[in-house]
Amino acid sequence: MTTTGTATGTAAATAATAATAATAATAATTRTTPRVGPVPALWLALLATPLAAGANAPVLILPDMARSLGVSGSTATWLVASYAWAMAVGTPLLAGLLRRRGLRAALRVAGALLVGGTLLVAASPWLPLTLTGRAAQAAGGAGLTAVAMSLAGSARRMGVISAGFGILGASGPLLGAQLAHAVSWRLSLSVSVIAVLAIPMVSRYATTPRTPAAPETTPQGRFDVGGAALLTAFATALVLLPHAPAAALGSSVLAATLLALHVRRRPDGFVPAALIRKPLFLGSALLALALSGSYFTLLFSVPRLLTDRAGWDAGTAGTGQLVALLTGSALSWLLAAASARMSRVAVRSVLVGVGAAAAATAVFASWGPLLLIATMGGIFAATGANAVLSMHAASSAPDPQRPTAIGLFALCYQLGGAFGPAIATALVLAA
């Protein structure tokens, strides 16, 4: 009896010790393991959308920046061009890093680029160094945006990010002007750095598995340096097309040809052949490019049209356009939220119909409110396309390639932002 009682007590003590150890291990695991699950959409919006404010912040303060750096106004516009270029090429490059090295590596590299670029912009007295800082800011912000888009997971959550892009992009010029007036234009160019506040929370909530690719020692598993370089060259030539048409056109044709040949040799490389051959991906990316280009054309054209056709002064035109942009951005989220209950054909019909109506209205309207409605329709179609069509593009790829699909889709969308101002200049602003 005593032996049995002792054994029972020992077993109970052992069980209690094991339970205590298990509880401690569980607590330790809880403290050290990232939270796996959907990242709250507002954290994703904070991670991605400051990029839009940073891109548009210089619009109204270029003369101040030029005087401070001792350069002409036309030279200072390279601070805008360098940002657009780095956004375009940084998105697929950082998306590739996300695909191969996972969430934490992409967040670390993108965050370091954003912080380092902001420090350069804040301290540099020379234009070349400031241009380098702006490019680093944009590349870092583009990387964070690629992460946010990859983690969105649904058109509804992607709609929050896209609507935030539209709202902060519309508010960027006014925000930049106010900060420049109150403190310095350098602070205006630093607003995108607030995105780093979301990095710790996003790291805690989600992990992105590495691509189950071939081992790093095989040719298929090694990083496709040639594909990344050729895609960068192609995107660079396209971004420069509005600034140096002849040289950029020849360069883009050459880069596209070399890239196509490279993709045939490395079909599983940086630009997957199977992905770019899929009609769903190509249709989504090209439609986003068209709607984005149309919107940015309207963005730069409508203020001039309000002055020339409707007789509005610059202040009234600017205020009206801001209200239209904010309204259209907010409404685009409704389309994103409803898209899950709509067919792809229906969604695309809405986007194409609204986008075409906005462009036609801008061509023929002379009444101020109609021109503002055109602006509202343009941003609605573009931000709605970014939200919904990005999910269509991602769904066309297997899970390991979804970051790549998001990166290439975003590249197409951002190229619309490069072409739009040039089209506006050719059709309206140069008249």
Side-chain angles (χ1 to χ4, degrees), residues 4-37:
T4 305
T6 303
T8 303
T10 303
T14 302
T17 302
T20 301
T23 302
T26 301
T29 301
T30 301
R31 289 192 299 269
T32 58
T33 301
R35 301 179 185 178
V36 179

Side-chain angles (χ1 to χ4, degrees), residues 9 41 66 117 135 137 157 164 178 215-216 233-234 237 257 286 338 343 369 385 391 409 428:
Q137 281 182 316
R157 286 157 53 82
Q178 293 297 323
E216 292 292 328
F234 180 52
T257 303
L286 294 177
S343 68
M391 294 297 99
F409 174 89
V428 176

